[in-house]
Amino acid sequence: MNDDHGSIFDGLLGGDSSQWAFGTDFEDPLAGVDTTTPDGVDPAELAAYCLMLGDDALIMSQRLSEWCSRAPDLEEDIALANMALDLLGQARLLLARAAAADPRVVPGLPEGSPVPPEDALAFFRDDRDFRNVRLAEVANGDFAHVVVRLLMFSTARLALLERLCVSRDHVLAAVAAKGVKEVAYHRDWAGRWFVTLARGTEESRRRLLAALDALWLLQAELVAPHPLEHSLALAGVGVDPASLRDPVDAVLGQVLTAAGLDRPERAPLAGVGGRTGRDGLHTEALSLLLAEMQVVARAHPMGRW
Amino acid sequence: MVTTRRPATGGTASARRAVEVAGRVRDPEMPMLTLADLGVLRGVEVVRDAEGGEVVIASITPTYTGCPAMATMRDDLVHRLNDAGFARVEVWVVLDPPWSSDWISERGRAALRAAGLSAPGPAPRRTGPVPLTLGPPRSVPPCPRCGSAATRLTSEFGATACKALYRCTGCLEPFEHVKEI
């Protein structure tokens, strides 16, 4: 035993994290990256927009992570975990970008807390401060449910990221350029399984149709125009979701045709007083998800992991 | 944010040594490759701070956004450079342009093959929207073990974000293929 340490636990949390397989010390995911807000853009608006895109990825990632060890076979388990990891990476950069644009969005923590801003945003905000679409938060169902949800989510996200590659905000443009390559795989995976289940057995088709019926009413929110997104689109920084409607419809139509299914007839889930997920109006499912996701971090605001 | 720095003057020997040391650091997930061969080491420079102290700045880029090995890469770079006598090392992240599998060097591709992994072909060059692919992939990589062209995709997601799983229908062995992105 090393004489410098009275206990084997002493020294574990020093400045050197090399003894851990993946390092434990926090690091800035945007170290050295220029995070100046582009000219003519309100930093508060840019931060709110980054939260929308980051929260979509974070909450969807959390739902996909819940599939870990529960998929029908090992390959699909690994696929779902990979997609969760891609989205978590996007969330981390987008939340860090939100904090860099406007530090006022970051919840206050006790002085000396080592929690970095993107973690503070993920683990210390309340449900009403989350800006994700409600499609991302509803509870998991069966395998058909995750396939349908991912198809809708990744189709809209890919169309959005393709357009965000030319954002005047260099961080958003870079996250989008990388994200396009990742989400293209997610959409192909979901599209193939959608067709496979629709054309599989009577039972797989029944389950797919049930999932489609349960989730279709949440699809419209992905492409619903929101004043903030519209404003940032005009500033050359964001993407107006209204511009995604046609390309998203085209891809969903392509998958439905290949699956031999008609487009579902379901009215979109209404907001409350016109407010939806983008305004912080969520379903009960988000509160339960956050309770589980945040409980350990909130119990240890001074913790190092 | 980082303070303004001026390039080191008369430090070219030291800069060459820093490049050489950083160039030997290996990827934690695919240790047959150096970070330089994988194409994630984007630059190493030696600068001087306001007091004239030498600082090494190494820049790395993630292969995939959620790559969990970034922290280990950072730690490994810092430690190897510290060991070589560079007391102050900063590791910066470069996001633009995004990493492409085309950046894996010839030496890196040979190392992948020698380890039984299939090296990526040319990355797709797209303009316009990404087409939806509902069928199986049009082309498959040959088996890195027996060379057979008869291989089948098992999953586009593997043990790490950058690899897909295939199986050779000739020798019946599974193998990993580094994806083209």
Side-chain angles (χ1 to χ4, degrees):
Chain A
M1 183 146 168
N2 190 325
D3 290 342
D4 294 336
H5 302 308
S7 148
I8 54 167
F9 300 110
D10 286 351
L12 278 182
L13 295 175
D16 183 354
S17 57
S18 61
Q19 72 265 42
W20 304 108
F22 286 112
T24 179
D25 228 358
F26 297 127
E27 80 211 270
D28 178 5
L30 295 175
V33 174
D34 180 6
T35 53
T36 318
T37 299
D39 286 344
V41 177
D42 176 4
E45 284 201 349
L46 176 60
Y49 185 62
C50 293
L51 289 181
M52 288 179 176
L53 302 187
D55 288 345
D56 279 355
L58 176 65
I59 300 305
M60 191 69 196
S61 174
Q62 179 70 12
R63 284 296 184 213
L64 290 174
S65 302
E66 291 172 13
W67 269 96
C68 204
S69 82
R70 293 175 189 188
D73 61 40
L74 187 58
E75 280 77 12
E76 303 322 325
D77 212 84
I78 293 169
L80 289 164
N82 263 281
M83 292 186 269
L85 184 62
D86 286 341
L87 290 172
L88 188 63
Q90 292 176 20
R92 188 174 183 205
L93 289 174
L94 289 163
L95 296 186
R97 208 283 165 266
D102 185 2
R104 289 171 302 176
V105 297
V106 182
L109 287 169
E111 197 172 327
S113 167
V115 175
E118 68 273 18
D119 279 20
L121 283 166
F123 296 118
F124 293 86
R125 267 182 307 157
D126 293 334
D127 46 9
R128 279 167 298 183
D129 296 325
F130 275 76
R131 296 281 175 260
N132 57 283
V133 292
R134 290 172 294 177
L135 175 72
E137 75 202 27
V138 291
N140 281 334
D142 60 11
F143 187 69
H145 187 273
V146 73
V147 165
V148 173
R149 167 151 52 179
L150 252 176
L151 177 70
M152 292 173 179
F153 182 84
S154 57
T155 299
R157 192 167 182 87
L158 182 55
L160 186 151
L161 294 177
E162 282 176 337
R163 285 155 184 78
L164 198 62
C165 288
V166 294
S167 171
R168 282 174 59 224
D169 183 75
H170 297 304
V171 180
L172 282 179
V175 171
K178 172 118 286 183
V180 163
K181 299 176 179 204
E182 295 163 353
V183 179
Y185 276 102
H186 306 184
R187 192 185 65 177
D188 281 350
W189 181 90
R192 283 178 195 145
W193 268 115
F194 190 100
V195 174
T196 302
L197 295 178
R199 294 194 171 281
T201 63
E202 205 174 297
E203 176 66 1
S204 72
R205 190 179 176 85
R206 182 188 70 75
R207 283 174 178 263
L208 185 86
L209 286 169
L212 193 58
D213 189 54
L215 290 166
W216 190 260
L217 73 174
L218 292 162
Q219 194 270 332
E221 200 173 321
L222 288 163
V223 291
H226 186 277
L228 178 71
E229 288 167 289
H230 185 66
S231 156
L232 282 162
L234 285 177
V237 166
V239 176
D240 187 347
S243 70
L244 306 178
R245 262 192 200 146
D246 290 346
V248 165
D249 274 354
V251 171
L252 293 180
Q254 206 182 331
V255 178
L256 287 166
T257 304
L261 295 177
D262 292 328
R263 210 180 165 77
E265 297 286 339
R266 288 278 253 142
L269 182 67
V272 175
R275 296 170 74 230
T276 64
R278 292 278 184 246
D279 309 294
L281 196 285
H282 295 283
T283 64
E284 179 194 41
L286 181 68
S287 316
L288 297 169
L289 177 150
L290 292 179
E292 185 178 6
M293 188 179 92
Q294 297 179 332
V295 62
V296 177
R298 286 198 182 218
H300 303 282
M302 301 300 282
R304 302 178 78 91
W305 310 97
Chain B
M1 217 45 234
V2 180
T3 51
T4 313
R5 293 204 168 87
R6 55 202 167 84
T9 45
T12 48
S14 153
R16 271 199 303 275
R17 207 159 55 80
V19 169
E20 192 207 331
V21 170
R24 284 200 300 265
V25 176
R26 294 182 173 275
D27 179 70
E29 292 185 332
M30 293 191 285
M32 72 292 287
L33 298 179
T34 62
L35 296 181
D37 283 334
L38 181 57
V40 301
L41 184 65
R42 296 290 289 275
V44 180
E45 53 176 342
V46 178
V47 298
R48 291 193 184 279
D49 64 12
E51 285 78 45
E54 211 173 53
V55 184
V56 179
I57 297 178
S59 303
I60 55 175
T61 191
T63 52
Y64 281 72
T65 316
C67 177
M70 288 289 280
T72 310
M73 293 179 190
R74 178 205 56 178
D75 284 352
D76 288 349
L77 282 167
V78 170
H79 287 114
R80 294 297 82 75
L81 286 159
N82 285 163
D83 291 348
F86 295 99
R88 292 176 56 197
V89 180
E90 287 183 16
V91 179
W92 288 7
V93 178
V94 179
L95 297 177
D96 179 42
W99 180 83
S100 161
S101 49
D102 286 349
W103 293 354
I104 301 178
S105 69
E106 273 313 314
R107 193 173 62 173
R109 286 162 197 272
L112 285 173
R113 285 189 288 268
L117 270 76
S118 160
R125 304 220 172 276
R126 284 192 199 96
T127 48
V130 184
L132 176 73
T133 314
L134 290 176
R138 254 167 259 129
S139 66
V140 288
C143 174
R145 292 176 212 278
C146 74
S148 165
T151 65
R152 205 169 59 81
L153 177 69
T154 316
S155 172
E156 277 184 323
F157 299 92
T160 65
C162 53
K163 288 179 286 188
L165 299 175
Y166 282 81
R167 199 162 70 95
C168 175
T169 51
C171 69
L172 300 180
E173 288 290 330
F175 66 90
E176 292 184 304
H177 172 69
V178 178
K179 290 193 261 193
E180 293 82 7
I181 72 159

